[in-house]
Amino acid sequence: MENWLPKLPLSEWIDSLVTWLTINLEAAFDGITSVLEAVVDGLVAGFEFIPSYVFMILLTLIAWKVSNRGMALFTLIGLFLIDNLGYWEPMLETLSLVLTAVIISILLGVPIGIWASQKLAVRQIITPVLDFMQTMPAFVYLIPAIFFFNIGVVPGVVASVIFAMPPTIRLTILGIQQVPADIIEATEAFGSTTRQKLVKVQLPLAMPTIMAGINQSIMLALSMVVISSMVGAPGLGADVYRAVTQIQIGKGFEAGLSIVVIAIVLDRITQNIGKNKKQGGVI
């Protein structure tokens, strides 16, 4: 069936927009590239400065503190396995990339979530934007990222932020909105300002839900590791991608297993931090 309407030149419009942004905002993109590269390189250097056995012990103690002995034992064995297989440095690069993306997601996502929870108009605008960000295939984000930031770690971080930030925003909105109305009314009756009500009541009570959003952002950022390797991002994803292109099943399984270990450790630690905050709030 022939389409009697002319095709919208959407792809041409997008190409023109990307070209215009690349030309007119080149200095801004160069600045972002320099900052993100410095942050990731700084984290990698900091992690590499710590001996591997000390890093293992520290992360194991954190897992024991916020979770239990079983999780601490898994963390110790998992990190030892990664070191034994020879993926310690790629693991640190992956961890640095994920932490950078998650920190940016928190710094941007939590304030946006707070703003949207207080303003209906903002919430109505941000909701379809979040839907777009979460449903657009992750590979699509890499195309403009390459134009804006060239290849390397920066487009991987940018794509990870776009892909991982929506859960933080959504669950920040949800957590604040779920604060019981009678508590809000009580704070208003005592003459609390909007800022006092937000900082002293709504955010503390919403913190477990916000932590759940951060947990999901960490998992989504990790899921972008392999995809980011396609544009030159270092880390375990690069080893997985190399193994896939060279059909090295064993190498791919080793690198993939290392990603799984890091994902489980980060997931359990952040989950239990959220549970501990919830229990503290109940008490």
Side-chain angles (χ1 to χ4, degrees):
M1 181 177 179
E2 294 185 1
N3 190 355
W4 57 275
L5 287 175
K7 179 180 179 294
L8 287 174
L10 183 59
S11 62
E12 288 81 0
W13 292 346
I14 298 298
D15 290 340
S16 299
L17 176 62
V18 170
T19 302
W20 185 88
L21 291 173
T22 303
I23 295 173
N24 292 276
L25 298 180
E26 182 180 2
F29 292 136
D30 289 344
I32 293 172
T33 299
S34 300
V35 171
L36 290 181
E37 285 181 345
V39 171
V40 175
D41 291 343
L43 285 174
V44 172
F47 288 147
E48 289 180 344
F49 180 77
I50 305 173
S52 59
Y53 64 91
V54 175
F55 193 95
M56 292 181 197
I57 294 173
L58 289 175
L59 205 54
T60 299
L61 291 175
I62 293 173
W64 194 347
K65 175 68 175 178
V66 303
S67 185
N68 52 50
R69 286 180 292 181
M71 191 61 226
L73 182 61
F74 174 86
T75 301
L76 183 61
I77 294 174
L79 293 178
F80 176 80
L81 178 64
I82 292 173
D83 190 23
N84 180 262
L85 294 174
Y87 292 99
W88 188 259
E89 288 189 10
M91 184 273 292
L92 295 180
E93 293 172 339
T94 296
L95 192 59
S96 300
L97 191 153
V98 170
L99 286 179
T100 302
V102 171
I103 289 171
I104 296 173
S105 297
I106 294 171
L107 293 178
L108 295 178
V110 173
I112 292 174
I114 294 172
W115 188 27
S117 69
Q118 307 296 314
K119 301 289 186 180
L120 177 60
V122 176
R123 192 158 62 250
Q124 290 175 334
I125 294 172
I126 201 68
T127 299
V129 175
L130 295 176
D131 294 337
F132 177 87
M133 292 169 66
Q134 289 187 292
T135 54
M136 178 66 72
F139 287 95
V140 178
Y141 295 130
L142 297 178
I143 301 173
I146 294 173
F147 276 96
F148 295 149
F149 305 106
N150 296 319
I151 61 173
V153 68
V154 177
V157 171
V158 172
S160 298
V161 169
I162 297 173
F163 192 63
M165 188 166 51
T168 298
I169 299 175
R170 287 188 186 277
L171 290 178
T172 299
I173 296 172
L174 179 63
I176 293 176
Q177 288 182 329
Q178 285 183 335
V179 175
D182 55 345
I183 296 179
I184 300 299
E185 291 173 359
T187 58
E188 292 174 348
F190 282 102
S192 298
T193 63
T194 302
R195 180 185 178 86
Q196 290 173 332
K197 180 174 62 177
L198 177 66
V199 174
K200 296 184 178 181
V201 178
Q202 290 176 306
L203 283 179
L205 291 176
M207 192 55 65
T209 306
I210 295 174
M211 287 301 303
I214 294 173
N215 172 268
Q216 291 302 306
S217 292
I218 292 173
M219 295 300 102
L220 289 175
L222 271 169
S223 71
M224 284 291 294
V225 166
V226 177
I227 299 175
S228 300
S229 67
M230 299 179 65
V231 294
L236 294 169
D239 291 296
V240 173
Y241 181 65
R242 191 180 304 112
V244 170
T245 55
Q246 299 177 3
I247 318 179
Q248 297 176 331
I249 300 175
K251 292 288 186 180
F253 180 82
E254 288 179 351
L257 181 62
S258 300
I259 294 175
V260 170
V261 170
I262 293 300
I264 293 175
V265 171
L266 294 178
D267 177 65
R268 297 300 186 273
I269 288 177
T270 52
Q271 270 190 8
N272 283 281
I273 289 175
K275 290 178 181 178
N276 293 338
K277 286 183 178 294
K278 185 173 183 179
Q279 291 171 357
V282 173
I283 292 173

